[in-house]
Amino acid sequence: MSRMNTCEFRPFKRLPPEIRYEIWLTALTAWSVTVYATAPSVAGSALRPIYWNASAVGLVCYEAWSIMKKVCTKLYQISRVDRYVWVHFDTTVFFLGAAAEARNTIATFDMPLCRGLAHAAIVWTSWADVVGFFKHVSQNCSSLVSILIFDAGKPYIPEIPPLKRDSPDQMVAACKGVGRNYEPWWVDVPVLTEDLQSWFKPWPRQPSIIFLPL
């Protein structure tokens, strides 16, 4: 395992162990967004952090690495480029792309990811696609806290526009409960939310459903 040069961290090492631990913990559990990204140059796809990368923090030194192993989960990837990434589930949003493909995306994840997934984000393509996704995750992802749905203002979207530069900020703000309220003009959000959450009724906790503008 390669690590960064830690010469510039020498004053940091003189801090009390308890304070160093809290600093590392804050960095390792900061909110992040991870994208399921296709990798044309290799066989398969990969999880790619685009907002904050706990794995990079854990490579700074052995102390950070040892704390990361305690508070984060190692997820193995399909791609041969990077074998794995480390994530803190409670503060990581997984962007799964178009609802039409998100169900198949989830099906490629290993059990640790399915069981630990807390925050997922998809792009609305059609009602049938979204329902199919919800049906699948309700059966396989028992830790979901929130599901974010990017909406482009239409009930059916044949071509998905790319995410905006501030989309990761939108996802994090929504999960933290500080994002602006947004309701698509073409749908009754309370009714739709109740219908989608009904897939999770056997569970003691239903995930929040949050719409975001695309």
Side-chain angles (χ1 to χ4, degrees), residues 34 41 67 77 95 114 119 127 163 168 177 184 191 194 205-206:
T34 295
S41 60
I67 297 172
Q77 305 196 76
F95 178 70
C114 286
H119 309 281
W127 170 248
L163 290 177
V191 173
E194 184 177 353
R205 180 179 61 185
Q206 295 175 320

Side-chain angles (χ1 to χ4, degrees), residues 12 20 59 63 89 96 133 145 179 207 210 214:
F12 178 80
R20 294 202 308 270
L59 293 176
E63 185 174 52
F89 278 121
L96 306 177
F133 171 77
V145 176
I210 305 169
L214 184 64

Side-chain angles (χ1 to χ4, degrees), residues 59 92 108 119-120 151 172 176 178 182 211:
L59 293 176
T92 299
T108 67
H119 309 281
D151 161 67
V172 170
K176 294 171 68 175
V178 297
Y182 168 74
F211 279 86

Side-chain angles (χ1 to χ4, degrees), residues 28-35 47-49 51-54 72-73 75 85-95 113 116-121 144 146 148 171-172 175:
L28 289 165
T29 61
W31 278 92
S32 63
V33 177
T34 295
V35 172
L47 297 170
R48 178 169 58 89
Y51 188 83
W52 181 256
N53 187 355
C72 297
T73 301
L75 299 177
V85 294
W86 292 84
V87 300
H88 183 255
F89 278 121
D90 290 345
T91 54
T92 299
V93 183
F94 287 85
F95 178 70
L113 176 50
L117 186 67
H119 309 281
L144 274 167
S146 61
L148 314 179
M171 289 185 251
V172 170
C175 290

Side-chain angles (χ1 to χ4, degrees), residues 146-158:
S146 61
I147 299 176
L148 314 179
I149 302 176
F150 279 98
D151 161 67
K154 299 178 181 179
Y156 173 70
I157 309 174

